[in-house]
Amino acid sequence: METGAMPPFSAAAHVPLVSLRRVSRFYRPDRPSLFDISFDIHPGEFLYVSGVSGAGKSTLIRLLHCAEQPDTGSIAFLGHDVSRLEPKAISVLRRSMGVVFQDFRLIEDLSVEANVAVPLEVAGLSRARIRKRVAEVIERVGLGGRSREIAGTLSGGEQQRVAIARALASEPTLLLADEPTGSLDAFTADFILDLLEEATGRGAAVVLATHDRMLMAARPHRIVALEGGRMVGLTGDDRAPAAVGLQQVV
Amino acid sequence: MHKVTHLLKRAIDGLRQRPWLHALSMATLAAAFLSFAATLTAAVNLDGLLARWIGAAELTVYIKDGTSVDETARLTQALGALDGVSGTEIVSPKTARDRFAADMGAYGDMARTLPESAFPASIDVRLDSRRARDQAVRHALAGRIGRLAVVDEVEVYDDWFGRLSALSLVGRLAAWGLGLLALLVAVLVVAATVRAGVFARRREIEVLKLSGATDRYVRLPFLLEGGLEATAAMALALLALDLIMGRVQDLAGDLVPLLGLFGFAKLGPTIVLALIAGSLLAGLGGAHLTLRRLKEI
């Protein structure tokens, strides 16, 4: 995949995909949104970020997506500190990420296929490759035959599937999902989670922020538990990185 | 190539998504550009008129009645030999009447019914261009010629030159003033339209940035949109001016020769290209001004 001006990242054995060290983020000086968070994310792993509303889950997702920078501490992608990257390099880095939100964030007056094509157009793929990949991924999320429908006219569950298709389209190495099933019925939520878990099979790391304990119990994975912006628990050990498709990272 | 077409597609999508807003701003821009282009055309025509008048006789020497043809010829020869005189021409009463008739356009036939005796014989004197523009030189020469026995009167056209020159200057100043105003209007209108476009497409911008679009990638279609809008407005204004001039020429065709013109001059290709390039720059400038200040991008 063409990625434009790419930062000098390359795969290295035993280097985590993402590494957070003593990360803090303050919106108000007296009350941190995140405080002293450290953990690693490895390729191919599925990680929950759990906590009640206001625990700092969304802030953590924004930091991982480089939409914000930590006030203290560091976040490194394959050993490269994000705070040292130029804005353009951060944009390029984001092309190796997919992101899904509870409120879908689709361009509602565009068709399903146009929405899904956005990250591929940004990455500068040829029209033929975009068409092929968009068709594949729309089919995969179960919306085949509805690709020309306007996204805003679809149901919530369908819109979330479009959002997942958009996030998966560029075959990201890191998939971030902020309460993606929060407003969906159980059946659709299950389908969405299947899609996210499936992505780990080809080496992508998935970070899913959720407050839903039932969900975490039904599909057990490593959990980073947050409370009042602090990490109060981390289940499972940091694994050695799987040697999978790291050349595609950023 | 794919990137360019994609960029153009996104800019044109932006124009198509809010057709009424763009139609309104384009109409505003076209009106501003039309007033500028019309004033510029008027100034160009005024300059043409001035050049033609200056190119005609700078002095007209009227000959006294009863002067023989030989005496007139000798006088003409003597005038031609004067320092600073570039040419002379005897204008017989018949020639004077024919010229007048031609200048009268549709009313020329009426002029031809006048007797030749109503038009005194004269000699047109052309000066070299440097002296023609120097009022003192013209007056000194006219004084010397006027003292000759066969000369009835010498016309120096000072009033006409003065008025026309002043009018031409006013025309040019007005054109420049309106040009600056039109540019300012273009910058402000495009800035406001692009701002509205950014607001309307904020979700799209957010999604693009989430997907790894650089600031440049997000901004370029808006810049292009501003440039396209201003350029299209200028093209529209020039087309409208052409139509209006054609109509005015049809309506006032009979009066045009009275002004000493063969027809209204249109703006030359260089000026047209400069106007289009100027509008493009104004559009890009207006869009850039807005984009620079918006936090969404």
Side-chain angles (χ1 to χ4, degrees):
Chain A
M1 183 179 296
E2 187 185 324
T3 49
M6 190 179 290
F9 297 144
S10 60
H14 307 295
V15 177
L17 179 62
V18 187
S19 185
L20 291 88
R21 291 292 173 267
R22 311 208 67 175
V23 167
S24 296
R25 181 80 174 109
F26 297 84
Y27 294 119
R28 279 172 24 190
D30 56 325
R31 190 173 171 276
S33 279
L34 280 178
F35 187 74
D36 203 23
I37 306 291
S38 299
F39 66 94
D40 290 339
I41 304 169
H42 298 287
E45 88 166 321
F46 195 113
L47 178 78
Y48 290 116
V49 176
S50 78
V52 296
S53 295
K57 304 188 295 294
S58 297
T59 304
L60 184 55
I61 294 289
R62 280 199 297 275
L63 288 172
L64 288 170
H65 194 239
C66 307
E68 295 178 14
Q69 292 285 336
D71 292 306
T72 60
S74 68
I75 301 177
F77 283 80
L78 288 173
H80 296 269
D81 189 343
V82 174
S83 65
R84 294 172 192 272
L85 295 179
E86 295 288 321
K88 189 177 176 185
I90 288 180
S91 295
V92 175
L93 176 64
R94 279 187 181 162
R95 293 176 200 169
S96 64
M97 301 180 195
V99 62
V100 184
F101 297 95
Q102 184 175 359
D103 61 356
F104 325 131
R105 302 206 191 166
L106 299 178
I107 307 169
E108 293 185 352
D109 51 356
L110 289 189
S111 67
V112 169
E113 61 184 0
N115 268 283
V116 176
V118 169
L120 304 173
E121 286 170 347
V122 168
L125 263 65
S126 71
R127 229 171 295 173
R129 285 184 69 190
I130 291 174
R131 255 200 305 273
K132 184 169 177 286
R133 179 65 186 149
V134 165
E136 281 170 7
V137 78
I138 288 177
E139 189 66 40
R140 180 63 202 97
V141 300
L143 290 173
R146 305 187 66 181
S147 56
R148 286 174 193 268
E149 289 187 29
I150 298 301
T153 63
L154 303 179
S155 70
E158 288 165 341
Q159 288 195 38
Q160 192 60 297
R161 280 193 274 168
V162 177
I164 295 269
R166 183 182 64 196
L168 294 172
S170 57
E171 299 187 323
T173 310
L174 178 62
L175 197 51
L176 304 168
D178 192 359
E179 304 272 12
T181 57
S183 58
L184 306 179
D185 62 81
F187 180 78
T188 312
D190 234 30
F191 182 66
I192 298 291
L193 289 165
D194 283 345
L195 289 171
L196 293 177
E197 282 183 336
E198 189 183 290
T200 62
R202 57 160 189 78
V206 175
V207 178
L208 191 152
T210 181
H211 63 273
D212 189 344
R213 289 183 181 182
M214 298 280 281
L215 183 154
M216 289 184 279
R219 293 169 183 258
H221 295 289
R222 204 156 70 102
I223 300 172
V224 170
L226 298 176
E227 194 178 296
R230 290 165 194 271
M231 197 163 85
V232 293
L234 175 67
T235 66
D237 295 319
D238 286 2
R239 296 180 298 163
V244 280
L246 284 180
Q247 286 79 0
Q248 287 189 23
V249 177
V250 292
Chain B
M1 190 60 196
H2 165 61
K3 281 186 179 174
V4 175
T5 52
H6 178 62
L7 185 71
L8 268 173
K9 181 185 167 293
R10 282 177 57 214
I12 292 167
D13 280 351
L15 291 170
R16 281 167 48 192
Q17 277 171 18
R18 298 170 307 284
W20 287 110
L21 175 70
H22 284 288
L24 188 68
S25 63
M26 221 181 279
T28 311
L29 288 179
F33 288 153
L34 178 61
S35 61
F36 169 45
T39 314
L40 197 61
T41 306
V44 165
N45 275 283
L46 219 53
D47 269 357
L49 190 63
L50 190 64
R52 185 156 184 266
W53 281 40
I54 287 173
E58 281 94 21
L59 298 176
T60 300
V61 179
Y62 292 102
I63 312 296
K64 281 183 178 164
D65 284 345
T67 306
S68 71
V69 174
D70 283 350
E71 280 176 311
T72 305
R74 276 202 298 278
L75 176 61
T76 306
Q77 204 173 8
L79 290 174
L82 287 173
D83 185 31
V85 172
S86 63
T88 55
E89 183 189 357
I90 298 172
V91 181
S92 68
K94 182 178 180 306
T95 308
R97 188 184 65 180
D98 289 346
R99 282 185 184 176
F100 180 65
D103 286 347
M104 291 292 282
Y107 307 101
D109 289 344
M110 199 169 66
R112 281 189 194 88
T113 61
L114 295 170
E116 284 182 14
S117 58
F119 299 87
S122 61
I123 302 166
D124 281 349
V125 179
R126 285 183 194 83
L127 307 178
D128 63 48
S129 57
R130 189 173 53 81
R131 287 166 198 265
R133 282 176 173 76
D134 188 329
Q135 193 181 18
V137 169
R138 286 205 313 277
H139 274 268
L141 196 60
R144 280 172 64 195
I145 298 168
R147 282 194 288 278
L148 297 171
V150 293
V151 173
D152 187 23
E153 189 189 346
V154 181
E155 174 65 78
V156 289
Y157 302 109
D158 268 358
D159 283 354
W160 280 104
F161 281 133
R163 281 179 206 161
L164 215 55
S165 294
L167 207 60
S168 168
L169 183 67
V170 168
R172 261 178 286 170
L173 285 176
W176 281 112
L178 277 173
L180 285 175
L181 199 65
L183 280 180
L184 188 67
V185 167
V187 167
L188 294 178
V189 169
V190 168
T193 312
V194 168
R195 185 189 300 270
V198 168
F199 184 75
R201 298 172 76 177
R202 59 194 184 284
R203 172 50 63 88
E204 183 185 333
I205 292 168
E206 184 192 2
V207 170
L208 284 171
K209 299 202 103 178
L210 288 175
S211 304
T214 57
D215 288 352
R216 191 165 161 232
Y217 184 92
V218 177
R219 281 167 192 235
L220 271 175
F222 288 105
L223 274 176
L224 206 58
E225 203 178 305
L228 280 176
E229 186 169 290
T231 310
M234 179 57 88
L236 212 64
L238 292 172
L239 194 70
L241 181 66
D242 197 52
L243 292 173
I244 290 168
M245 281 183 69
R247 186 82 186 122
V248 168
Q249 185 117 22
D250 286 347
L251 290 172
D254 294 343
L255 295 173
V256 171
L258 288 178
L259 298 171
L261 293 168
F262 294 113
F264 289 124
K266 293 179 178 177
L267 298 174
T270 313
I271 295 181
V272 167
L273 279 178
L275 288 176
I276 287 179
S279 63
L280 175 67
L281 287 177
L284 293 174
H288 176 69
L289 267 183
T290 284
L291 295 171
R292 212 176 55 163
R293 288 161 47 185
L294 289 178
K295 63 176 169 52
E296 285 89 340
I297 299 180

